Amino acid sequence: MVMSLHYSLYSNVKLPLFCYKPASEFGSKFHPNLFIKNSSEPECLNQLCPPANQSVAAIVFGDGSSHSRLYPLTKRRSEGAIPIAGNYRLIDAVVSNCINSNITKIYALTQYNSTSLNSHLSRAYSGARLSKEGFVEVIAAYQSPDDNGWFQGTADAIRRCLWLLEEYPVVEFLVLPGYHLYKMDYQKLIDTHRRSKADITVSVFGNKKGEDLGFGIFKLNDENLVLEFRENHEMSTRKSLSVENLVNFDDNEKCNFPSMGIYVINRNIMIKLLTEYFPTANDLKSELIPGAISLGMKIHAYQFNGYWEDMRTIEAYYRANMETIQKTNKAYNFHDRDSPLYTLPRHLPPTLVTDAVITDSVIGDGCILSKCRIKGTVVGMRTRIGDKAVIEDSVIMGSDTYHQTGISEGEHTSIPVGIGEGSIIRKAIIDKNARIGKNVMIINKDNVQDGNMEANGYIIAGGIIVIIRSAIIPDGSIL
Amino acid sequence: MVMSLHYSLYSNVKLPLFCYKPASEFGSKFHPNLFIKNSSEPECLNQLCPPANQSVAAIVFGDGSSHSRLYPLTKRRSEGAIPIAGNYRLIDAVVSNCINSNITKIYALTQYNSTSLNSHLSRAYSGARLSKEGFVEVIAAYQSPDDNGWFQGTADAIRRCLWLLEEYPVVEFLVLPGYHLYKMDYQKLIDTHRRSKADITVSVFGNKKGEDLGFGIFKLNDENLVLEFRENHEMSTRKSLSVENLVNFDDNEKCNFPSMGIYVINRNIMIKLLTEYFPTANDLKSELIPGAISLGMKIHAYQFNGYWEDMRTIEAYYRANMETIQKTNKAYNFHDRDSPLYTLPRHLPPTLVTDAVITDSVIGDGCILSKCRIKGTVVGMRTRIGDKAVIEDSVIMGSDTYHQTGISEGEHTSIPVGIGEGSIIRKAIIDKNARIGKNVMIINKDNVQDGNMEANGYIIAGGIIVIIRSAIIPDGSIL
Amino acid sequence: MVMSLHYSLYSNVKLPLFCYKPASEFGSKFHPNLFIKNSSEPECLNQLCPPANQSVAAIVFGDGSSHSRLYPLTKRRSEGAIPIAGNYRLIDAVVSNCINSNITKIYALTQYNSTSLNSHLSRAYSGARLSKEGFVEVIAAYQSPDDNGWFQGTADAIRRCLWLLEEYPVVEFLVLPGYHLYKMDYQKLIDTHRRSKADITVSVFGNKKGEDLGFGIFKLNDENLVLEFRENHEMSTRKSLSVENLVNFDDNEKCNFPSMGIYVINRNIMIKLLTEYFPTANDLKSELIPGAISLGMKIHAYQFNGYWEDMRTIEAYYRANMETIQKTNKAYNFHDRDSPLYTLPRHLPPTLVTDAVITDSVIGDGCILSKCRIKGTVVGMRTRIGDKAVIEDSVIMGSDTYHQTGISEGEHTSIPVGIGEGSIIRKAIIDKNARIGKNVMIINKDNVQDGNMEANGYIIAGGIIVIIRSAIIPDGSIL
Amino acid sequence: MVMSLHYSLYSNVKLPLFCYKPASEFGSKFHPNLFIKNSSEPECLNQLCPPANQSVAAIVFGDGSSHSRLYPLTKRRSEGAIPIAGNYRLIDAVVSNCINSNITKIYALTQYNSTSLNSHLSRAYSGARLSKEGFVEVIAAYQSPDDNGWFQGTADAIRRCLWLLEEYPVVEFLVLPGYHLYKMDYQKLIDTHRRSKADITVSVFGNKKGEDLGFGIFKLNDENLVLEFRENHEMSTRKSLSVENLVNFDDNEKCNFPSMGIYVINRNIMIKLLTEYFPTANDLKSELIPGAISLGMKIHAYQFNGYWEDMRTIEAYYRANMETIQKTNKAYNFHDRDSPLYTLPRHLPPTLVTDAVITDSVIGDGCILSKCRIKGTVVGMRTRIGDKAVIEDSVIMGSDTYHQTGISEGEHTSIPVGIGEGSIIRKAIIDKNARIGKNVMIINKDNVQDGNMEANGYIIAGGIIVIIRSAIIPDGSIL
């Protein structure tokens, strides 16, 4: 029987942290089928005690680094603000995870190309959809009497905002990179943390044992306690000061798990690490975490085995978009009623389709699609595609407004935003507000793997042509 | 030259009511092309003085009558709440006209099946998008110490709300039916009213001279002054008390214009008509307006010649939807940046298309379309269409949520909301949340013109099959 | 020890419905004092399973009856819309109770003078402050093809809205009168309901045993099960059809508890009562509840012993306001951070005080108080009080806007909204937007108990003078 | 006659830029008194053509410099975020000016201590109260691939945001310091600019001729054209590179007007100044403006003579607050219905007063005032003042929440937020969330003019004691 099993797991706890009650106990006449659930889990497994909205604050990092390998998508925006899957920005995935996990105190820390991210977060999450005391507070890097510099790293950023983060008496901080695509109920992670009475709990990715996903590798013992930490130095985009003291792991991959950059840290542990033990450390991953290990703190690991895409490169970003168009998508369900993906509310007109053949594609709101053929493509909001255009295996980000005539840095052009008549696009990423002329071919004709043609409005990365935001590609061009 | 022409038109006015200034006068270095306009009108023709947002209040009637010929679309909702064009409700057209005409004091009067209309208006227009003192205030019929009855007609409704309508010191009331599809800059109507110094100005439809569109016919003189009013009694859905005194018009259609049910009435004229002159009149159209004529008031007519669709019948509603899918749509431009159509903001996922052939159709937000063929069809929000389904010349309203399993009035069904695999639908209207099973044929096989099969989940009107809201059509049915 | 006690209470349940965990178990370094709580309750006692926001829908009745004894406060508004305590409307108390109890699906049913209530609810609770799937949906009485009449009573109202109320698969409905002032965590009530496996649970008021507060009296047995129901016919404002079958209670007051009009009813029980067992019953209190008793359903009682004020009369309303100004107010804490009272957000200027002596009073937002004396008075938003005015033991509701000059039903007056210079007001209620001239004395000089001087702008009830909304009291008047 | 006079003023313009129409022309029955206006201006003088909401974008600087003389008020916030007048933040004055001037495209540029300013702007102005295309967009300083540095000055900040500011095709940019208290209809300023066909128009302060208010001094000719610019170097807080070429003005104060730091700059002029003519200039005031003069651009001056307070120092901030409490305040009318001051909407309880004597003071929302005496004081939101406390000539900023017990940087204290019993405060500024114990005397007993006792929780500036945000002043302290 389920319940006794449930109990035996934590017989030393005496009391389940999660509420659980079979539906049959809800009053004499209750009909169990009235619950509409997609999952077969017990009804009430998603409540923490104290509840997450009162006891946890999320700290979301909206940008990776200034040396992003996602350039030119990050030319004018931070990583979290990159459009994805037609209607969204990358950071919506993590913020929606928080909301769906009942975490409603969310601080978003930004400093790199932060404008569009800040604008999106302010408008998409201001008040609405967060319960009575919830908020998404954007903290942009700032100068102060104490410190005139930029955030020097993730640890430095948190330290400098501590005066603000301490405002609410939360029990744990949940540190999250803001540019990954995945669904996780953080309540399960926090529950694991509380049950294990750890000082810090890290989330590790069970599907890529032994790899370094950019956040280092943890060696675990049988009870999921962290023994050691190691970084692949080539992966590291920031210099780490204290990695000398990391041992070389043996090659037993079984116990080497990649970190996901997700940490649950007890409030007082966070404060002590930042202000007492390592007051000059700048980076959380490469300084604070190794430091905590060296101090003998109890660091537990939570294994996550679901879909997770980090999108560190153009290729990874392209692949993640391609995965969103598969109907049998176990990867990431955008249409899940129980854990919806939130974003900026809009009121766009419906998509107008004239004689198009559309295969295996995702179509954002308010597009205008003429007699074109679209296959395996993500078509973003307000995209306009002309007659006889053929789009295959591509990501079209769409546009910010309708009818924007050609004004671009002083010049005038007659090429409107969108894809012109007769143009052919294959395996390309077309950033927002780009103007592709008529009979253009974006097909990587010379099969270039990597090249920088920024002056001409595009770059090539991993064989994928990326047309830069607001770029103009004249009629008849062949790329 | 434009300006002198402009002046000569109203040389007796001495001063233009509209501001007008050629772009070339804006400072020495101003570049005229910086303005992005779709129209060729002078820049500033859309400002009234005093401005509309301070001097005009709109009174919108959300429902026609309880004997709507739009049944069963009005079974659970009033006419203004009927979904249209995939993403909208009918009343959005009129409310958006108001907002785009700078009229931001909007009272919506309702009493028939008002729940979904009230809910839509409250959520779609609460605060946002209306400027600092704007509002859309829903006034549902109510009982009071003075009067325990329902609104007895349009005049009675306004009279009973006068205490509230008087709250702001507006100059004119603009009376609007809330269930017509058209774009009108009401500022031009009001400008005409002010210039002519009329007591009342009525909007007439220039394209259907001699017809009665349900609001009667006005006979005009050469200066657009109303001479007489006539109603087609068969058209009238409410009894009119005072039509005896209306003369029969001669057959000169040239001067007989159909009323659009749109009236600009000076505030004090409105108060006097309702409380002094005709304190027991119930209907505006058939009692107040003829009464005002008989009193010798100055009633001016404003001729409107654009697209206008009244949607009094299932056929008209069907036709209006079909018109929204034409690309060369002079009828009604949903993608116009300058006069957008507002509605409830949403954050739905993009539409997911698997191998569909879509021709001349409009696709609402968040649909899931499998290997189907869609032609000449309006596909509403969250519509799910199964493999091998064929939809032609139809209106699919979509659904309110995803994954709604089959609970309908106590029964359980395994048919999900949407269109099942292999089903064929031609010239039909599928209301919200309907569950069409697999291999269903909705083709009006017996070519019935009108029929009531409500017990089976549909009716037929004008040869169009209308599947009722939340109806269930079992697998293999042939209608 | 607390925990074992906790268990022994429901040893037959085997599992606690509420989560409970001592703070000391939260991880090794957790500091218990980080929790800031005003109460000494265990941390997590306020979570239901399934949580209230997913499993409970509240049905709030915004108006009592058309024969309200609160007239003239209800002349233009329903009971729930009456201003209270300077900044609020009565219904805010009940809606805030819902929000603070994690109940976020709230239907407000109205039909009597519903305009200002609907407007308040739409603007105050639209989206914001309710979590991701929450709403306050106003359902005004409406005509439909099935039924052209008004709601004939509480049961009839719910029956006619059942198609809408069934939209979400909730487990219980919580029926609430919307015009009472009290704080209750409805989660405790629902928890009691679920533990007892009752069909219906009623809330009874422990502090007034034997009295009928307008909702009848329940006779309970030792296990808090309802045995019988009785109404005081003089109290009843609606005719009850089925009270013949009610026995006369014996005089043992110990087991006779007044109903508070608050019911938790299982969803399927509600549907069966309304559609199968009593399909023609109009009233919930006097028909459905006695009917459920007669059918032998399990009806449990939940005893509430806190502050509760029903405000059925002018005197009760006056008294409730007077209680809000006591600092040692155990009655109703408006400044409680953990269960705040929500209302329409405003951005009024601060109150400007010139040389006032203010004693034991409550001052709403944005008042302008001159050299006046205010004692024991509730002063509402935007109240303007002139020099040398003296206000004692009164309720001043304030005004809707600033600087409103004297336009009232066609007449012009130079008396501005507010209290004029030198006026003296004692034990009075001044409704909104009233214009009290200079040197007016509102002192009930003839010591009248009850009188209707509505033509002069006021009535007297229980010795309290009530100045009617927007009334004008000329300079020098002595009332 | 008014109209002809009106015309003769700009006979060379041929057409009035402002609409104007005597009320008597509004239809035959129009009653002129229906307009409620506080001013005697013609009705329609506040419309620009093209209207300001389509043709003007405001650029608001939220912070002055990092060397603010308002320290310690700027310890944790930028100048624009400083609380003022009980309910507001300084920046609300300028943003409200914009909204009331129909300017709804507002960019707020920040980098110094920007967190609380960003949070305030996002929450106070997101969507609501701005019309359909309006926004307040916060642009925090950010790093980008092109530039890793902070904004180096006002010109540098605008230059780096040009890509964003160019998004909408506005005609003029309006540059505004965000930390001044004044009411100005910017439409009049812009109208002057357009009539004079200037490249740049600067606003000068007529009331302080010859003084430098921190933005330099303009020497004007008789036609209000700028001849020269001069800075008082001691005033200047940023180094200016190009001031050598500024001549010394003669002492004729008549034509020497202080700049207010407010500039209207034609869009293309702004772009050319920043990118072509002075691509390395950092400061607008000391580089771009003198540069534009040297290039012979047409720079016009607009004279403003109303109330204006710059609040550069603690004394000025103190004085501005003191002025808000005067009833005969010509300075700044917070209760003006026509040009309201906007801020973050709140729903606080009314202020509770127990036996207080309050003289010439302003009381913010939701205070709890016991048997205290308050005179000449601004009392901010949620301020709690204990029995027998005496507050005179002070600014109490209030607190962010209720019931906040004493947790401050790890320590525990029993002193609650607010002013303790028996304490006496004179001529002091008490910043937010300060905890003043019992029987404290804040009276500047040693009559110190300036002193830094930051370690003890306060500083003294100009004889005014400033208690620092969240400081704790123990029982019995005498300052």
PDB file of all heavy atoms in Angstrom, chain C residues 327 335 349 351 353 356 358 361 363 370 403, chain D residues 88 327 335 351 353 356 358 361 363 370 403:
ATOM      1  N   LYS C 327      -8.221  51.771  19.982  1.00  0.00           N
ATOM      2  CA  LYS C 327      -6.878  51.265  19.787  1.00  0.00           C
ATOM      3  C   LYS C 327      -6.726  49.866  20.366  1.00  0.00           C
ATOM      4  O   LYS C 327      -6.089  49.003  19.783  1.00  0.00           O
ATOM      5  CB  LYS C 327      -5.861  52.196  20.458  1.00  0.00           C
ATOM      6  CG  LYS C 327      -4.461  51.928  19.929  1.00  0.00           C
ATOM      7  CD  LYS C 327      -3.414  52.721  20.613  1.00  0.00           C
ATOM      8  CE  LYS C 327      -2.055  52.379  20.023  1.00  0.00           C
ATOM      9  NZ  LYS C 327      -0.997  53.151  20.687  1.00  0.00           N
ATOM     10  N   HIS C 335      -4.683  46.705  10.940  1.00  0.00           N
ATOM     11  CA  HIS C 335      -3.252  46.860  10.681  1.00  0.00           C
ATOM     12  C   HIS C 335      -2.489  45.545  10.784  1.00  0.00           C
ATOM     13  O   HIS C 335      -1.276  45.540  10.939  1.00  0.00           O
ATOM     14  CB  HIS C 335      -2.656  47.877  11.665  1.00  0.00           C
ATOM     15  CG  HIS C 335      -3.252  49.248  11.539  1.00  0.00           C
ATOM     16  ND1 HIS C 335      -4.479  49.546  12.070  1.00  0.00           N
ATOM     17  CD2 HIS C 335      -2.814  50.361  10.921  1.00  0.00           C
ATOM     18  CE1 HIS C 335      -4.759  50.821  11.800  1.00  0.00           C
ATOM     19  NE2 HIS C 335      -3.779  51.334  11.099  1.00  0.00           N
ATOM     20  N   PRO C 349      -3.251  61.829  -2.193  1.00  0.00           N
ATOM     21  CA  PRO C 349      -2.267  62.612  -1.442  1.00  0.00           C
ATOM     22  C   PRO C 349      -2.436  62.362   0.056  1.00  0.00           C
ATOM     23  O   PRO C 349      -3.462  61.856   0.494  1.00  0.00           O
ATOM     24  CB  PRO C 349      -2.624  64.059  -1.806  1.00  0.00           C
ATOM     25  CG  PRO C 349      -4.027  64.015  -2.288  1.00  0.00           C
ATOM     26  CD  PRO C 349      -4.227  62.665  -2.887  1.00  0.00           C
ATOM     27  N   THR C 351      -3.077  63.165   4.011  1.00  0.00           N
ATOM     28  CA  THR C 351      -4.035  64.034   4.693  1.00  0.00           C
ATOM     29  C   THR C 351      -3.336  65.296   5.177  1.00  0.00           C
ATOM     30  O   THR C 351      -2.255  65.249   5.746  1.00  0.00           O
ATOM     31  CB  THR C 351      -4.659  63.267   5.871  1.00  0.00           C
ATOM     32  OG1 THR C 351      -5.555  62.297   5.333  1.00  0.00           O
ATOM     33  CG2 THR C 351      -5.393  64.191   6.815  1.00  0.00           C
ATOM     34  N   VAL C 353      -3.455  68.437   7.620  1.00  0.00           N
ATOM     35  CA  VAL C 353      -4.091  68.834   8.877  1.00  0.00           C
ATOM     36  C   VAL C 353      -3.617  70.219   9.279  1.00  0.00           C
ATOM     37  O   VAL C 353      -2.422  70.457   9.391  1.00  0.00           O
ATOM     38  CB  VAL C 353      -3.764  67.840  10.008  1.00  0.00           C
ATOM     39  CG1 VAL C 353      -4.467  68.244  11.287  1.00  0.00           C
ATOM     40  CG2 VAL C 353      -4.141  66.429   9.621  1.00  0.00           C
ATOM     41  N   ALA C 356      -5.633  70.848  14.019  1.00  0.00           N
ATOM     42  CA  ALA C 356      -6.776  70.069  14.471  1.00  0.00           C
ATOM     43  C   ALA C 356      -6.452  69.350  15.764  1.00  0.00           C
ATOM     44  O   ALA C 356      -5.301  69.012  16.033  1.00  0.00           O
ATOM     45  CB  ALA C 356      -7.161  69.050  13.409  1.00  0.00           C
ATOM     46  N   ILE C 358      -7.445  65.910  17.325  1.00  0.00           N
ATOM     47  CA  ILE C 358      -8.084  64.675  16.882  1.00  0.00           C
ATOM     48  C   ILE C 358      -7.969  63.641  17.985  1.00  0.00           C
ATOM     49  O   ILE C 358      -6.870  63.335  18.445  1.00  0.00           O
ATOM     50  CB  ILE C 358      -7.425  64.144  15.598  1.00  0.00           C
ATOM     51  CG1 ILE C 358      -7.479  65.218  14.493  1.00  0.00           C
ATOM     52  CG2 ILE C 358      -8.102  62.873  15.121  1.00  0.00           C
ATOM     53  CD1 ILE C 358      -6.726  64.860  13.243  1.00  0.00           C
ATOM     54  N   SER C 361      -9.904  58.653  16.749  1.00  0.00           N
ATOM     55  CA  SER C 361     -10.569  58.675  15.457  1.00  0.00           C
ATOM     56  C   SER C 361      -9.751  57.921  14.423  1.00  0.00           C
ATOM     57  O   SER C 361      -8.574  57.622  14.621  1.00  0.00           O
ATOM     58  CB  SER C 361     -10.773  60.124  14.981  1.00  0.00           C
ATOM     59  OG  SER C 361     -11.677  60.793  15.819  1.00  0.00           O
ATOM     60  N   ILE C 363      -8.728  58.203  10.370  1.00  0.00           N
ATOM     61  CA  ILE C 363      -8.684  59.202   9.305  1.00  0.00           C
ATOM     62  C   ILE C 363      -8.321  58.512   7.999  1.00  0.00           C
ATOM     63  O   ILE C 363      -7.234  57.956   7.853  1.00  0.00           O
ATOM     64  CB  ILE C 363      -7.624  60.287   9.619  1.00  0.00           C
ATOM     65  CG1 ILE C 363      -7.775  60.822  11.050  1.00  0.00           C
ATOM     66  CG2 ILE C 363      -7.682  61.415   8.580  1.00  0.00           C
ATOM     67  CD1 ILE C 363      -9.012  61.628  11.300  1.00  0.00           C
ATOM     68  N   SER C 370      -9.148  71.258   8.524  1.00  0.00           N
ATOM     69  CA  SER C 370      -8.714  72.575   8.958  1.00  0.00           C
ATOM     70  C   SER C 370      -8.719  72.658  10.485  1.00  0.00           C
ATOM     71  O   SER C 370      -8.646  71.638  11.161  1.00  0.00           O
ATOM     72  CB  SER C 370      -9.617  73.628   8.330  1.00  0.00           C
ATOM     73  OG  SER C 370      -9.480  73.585   6.933  1.00  0.00           O
ATOM     74  N   HIS C 403     -12.713  68.810  -5.201  1.00  0.00           N
ATOM     75  CA  HIS C 403     -13.099  70.038  -5.904  1.00  0.00           C
ATOM     76  C   HIS C 403     -14.404  69.910  -6.668  1.00  0.00           C
ATOM     77  O   HIS C 403     -14.604  70.589  -7.658  1.00  0.00           O
ATOM     78  CB  HIS C 403     -12.027  70.448  -6.922  1.00  0.00           C
ATOM     79  CG  HIS C 403     -10.685  70.642  -6.302  1.00  0.00           C
ATOM     80  ND1 HIS C 403     -10.463  71.523  -5.280  1.00  0.00           N
ATOM     81  CD2 HIS C 403      -9.498  70.070  -6.587  1.00  0.00           C
ATOM     82  CE1 HIS C 403      -9.188  71.490  -4.948  1.00  0.00           C
ATOM     83  NE2 HIS C 403      -8.588  70.608  -5.714  1.00  0.00           N
TER      84      HIS C 403
ATOM     85  N   TYR D  88       4.785  59.906  -1.293  1.00  0.00           N
ATOM     86  CA  TYR D  88       5.361  59.903  -2.629  1.00  0.00           C
ATOM     87  C   TYR D  88       6.856  59.622  -2.639  1.00  0.00           C
ATOM     88  O   TYR D  88       7.516  59.611  -1.610  1.00  0.00           O
ATOM     89  CB  TYR D  88       5.098  61.255  -3.301  1.00  0.00           C
ATOM     90  CG  TYR D  88       3.633  61.574  -3.393  1.00  0.00           C
ATOM     91  CD1 TYR D  88       3.004  62.385  -2.450  1.00  0.00           C
ATOM     92  CD2 TYR D  88       2.864  61.021  -4.407  1.00  0.00           C
ATOM     93  CE1 TYR D  88       1.642  62.637  -2.528  1.00  0.00           C
ATOM     94  CE2 TYR D  88       1.512  61.272  -4.489  1.00  0.00           C
ATOM     95  CZ  TYR D  88       0.903  62.077  -3.558  1.00  0.00           C
ATOM     96  OH  TYR D  88      -0.436  62.318  -3.629  1.00  0.00           O
ATOM     97  N   LYS D 327      -1.360  75.167   4.183  1.00  0.00           N
ATOM     98  CA  LYS D 327      -2.651  75.064   3.520  1.00  0.00           C
ATOM     99  C   LYS D 327      -2.776  76.082   2.393  1.00  0.00           C
ATOM    100  O   LYS D 327      -3.301  75.801   1.332  1.00  0.00           O
ATOM    101  CB  LYS D 327      -3.788  75.274   4.516  1.00  0.00           C
ATOM    102  CG  LYS D 327      -5.100  74.799   3.927  1.00  0.00           C
ATOM    103  CD  LYS D 327      -6.259  75.028   4.829  1.00  0.00           C
ATOM    104  CE  LYS D 327      -7.522  74.491   4.163  1.00  0.00           C
ATOM    105  NZ  LYS D 327      -8.687  74.712   5.007  1.00  0.00           N
ATOM    106  N   HIS D 335      -3.590  68.266  -3.966  1.00  0.00           N
ATOM    107  CA  HIS D 335      -4.996  67.862  -4.063  1.00  0.00           C
ATOM    108  C   HIS D 335      -5.661  68.375  -5.328  1.00  0.00           C
ATOM    109  O   HIS D 335      -6.880  68.445  -5.401  1.00  0.00           O
ATOM    110  CB  HIS D 335      -5.756  68.371  -2.830  1.00  0.00           C
ATOM    111  CG  HIS D 335      -5.236  67.818  -1.540  1.00  0.00           C
ATOM    112  ND1 HIS D 335      -4.107  68.294  -0.938  1.00  0.00           N
ATOM    113  CD2 HIS D 335      -5.679  66.806  -0.759  1.00  0.00           C
ATOM    114  CE1 HIS D 335      -3.882  67.620   0.179  1.00  0.00           C
ATOM    115  NE2 HIS D 335      -4.815  66.708   0.301  1.00  0.00           N
ATOM    116  N   THR D 351      -5.660  55.902   8.892  1.00  0.00           N
ATOM    117  CA  THR D 351      -4.830  56.289  10.020  1.00  0.00           C
ATOM    118  C   THR D 351      -5.659  56.253  11.302  1.00  0.00           C
ATOM    119  O   THR D 351      -6.789  56.733  11.342  1.00  0.00           O
ATOM    120  CB  THR D 351      -4.270  57.705   9.783  1.00  0.00           C
ATOM    121  OG1 THR D 351      -3.267  57.622   8.777  1.00  0.00           O
ATOM    122  CG2 THR D 351      -3.696  58.314  11.048  1.00  0.00           C
ATOM    123  N   VAL D 353      -6.019  57.450  15.081  1.00  0.00           N
ATOM    124  CA  VAL D 353      -5.533  58.525  15.949  1.00  0.00           C
ATOM    125  C   VAL D 353      -6.154  58.395  17.335  1.00  0.00           C
ATOM    126  O   VAL D 353      -7.377  58.343  17.472  1.00  0.00           O
ATOM    127  CB  VAL D 353      -5.905  59.908  15.371  1.00  0.00           C
ATOM    128  CG1 VAL D 353      -5.363  61.007  16.266  1.00  0.00           C
ATOM    129  CG2 VAL D 353      -5.397  60.058  13.962  1.00  0.00           C
ATOM    130  N   ALA D 356      -4.699  62.753  19.758  1.00  0.00           N
ATOM    131  CA  ALA D 356      -3.544  63.514  19.309  1.00  0.00           C
ATOM    132  C   ALA D 356      -3.939  64.963  19.042  1.00  0.00           C
ATOM    133  O   ALA D 356      -5.070  65.258  18.674  1.00  0.00           O
ATOM    134  CB  ALA D 356      -2.974  62.903  18.040  1.00  0.00           C
ATOM    135  N   ILE D 358      -2.875  67.687  16.457  1.00  0.00           N
ATOM    136  CA  ILE D 358      -2.107  67.753  15.217  1.00  0.00           C
ATOM    137  C   ILE D 358      -2.262  69.134  14.608  1.00  0.00           C
ATOM    138  O   ILE D 358      -3.368  69.601  14.364  1.00  0.00           O
ATOM    139  CB  ILE D 358      -2.586  66.685  14.211  1.00  0.00           C
ATOM    140  CG1 ILE D 358      -2.506  65.287  14.839  1.00  0.00           C
ATOM    141  CG2 ILE D 358      -1.764  66.739  12.938  1.00  0.00           C
ATOM    142  CD1 ILE D 358      -3.077  64.185  13.992  1.00  0.00           C
ATOM    143  N   SER D 361       0.139  69.872   9.714  1.00  0.00           N
ATOM    144  CA  SER D 361       0.936  68.701   9.362  1.00  0.00           C
ATOM    145  C   SER D 361       0.277  67.931   8.231  1.00  0.00           C
ATOM    146  O   SER D 361      -0.886  68.133   7.913  1.00  0.00           O
ATOM    147  CB  SER D 361       1.091  67.772  10.581  1.00  0.00           C
ATOM    148  OG  SER D 361       1.855  68.395  11.578  1.00  0.00           O
ATOM    149  N   ILE D 363      -0.342  63.981   7.014  1.00  0.00           N
ATOM    150  CA  ILE D 363      -0.344  62.636   7.582  1.00  0.00           C
ATOM    151  C   ILE D 363      -0.524  61.629   6.461  1.00  0.00           C
ATOM    152  O   ILE D 363      -1.544  61.609   5.782  1.00  0.00           O
ATOM    153  CB  ILE D 363      -1.510  62.470   8.597  1.00  0.00           C
ATOM    154  CG1 ILE D 363      -1.534  63.636   9.601  1.00  0.00           C
ATOM    155  CG2 ILE D 363      -1.418  61.118   9.290  1.00  0.00           C
ATOM    156  CD1 ILE D 363      -0.382  63.667  10.543  1.00  0.00           C
ATOM    157  N   SER D 370      -0.677  57.727  18.634  1.00  0.00           N
ATOM    158  CA  SER D 370      -1.245  57.650  19.976  1.00  0.00           C
ATOM    159  C   SER D 370      -1.395  59.039  20.577  1.00  0.00           C
ATOM    160  O   SER D 370      -1.468  60.024  19.858  1.00  0.00           O
ATOM    161  CB  SER D 370      -0.360  56.752  20.842  1.00  0.00           C
ATOM    162  OG  SER D 370      -0.347  55.457  20.302  1.00  0.00           O
ATOM    163  N   HIS D 403       4.398  45.971  12.058  1.00  0.00           N
ATOM    164  CA  HIS D 403       4.760  44.900  12.982  1.00  0.00           C
ATOM    165  C   HIS D 403       6.137  44.335  12.738  1.00  0.00           C
ATOM    166  O   HIS D 403       6.389  43.181  13.044  1.00  0.00           O
ATOM    167  CB  HIS D 403       3.763  43.729  12.881  1.00  0.00           C
ATOM    168  CG  HIS D 403       2.359  44.143  13.106  1.00  0.00           C
ATOM    169  ND1 HIS D 403       1.932  44.748  14.235  1.00  0.00           N
ATOM    170  CD2 HIS D 403       1.271  44.007  12.302  1.00  0.00           C
ATOM    171  CE1 HIS D 403       0.631  44.996  14.143  1.00  0.00           C
ATOM    172  NE2 HIS D 403       0.215  44.563  12.989  1.00  0.00           N
TER     173      HIS D 403
END
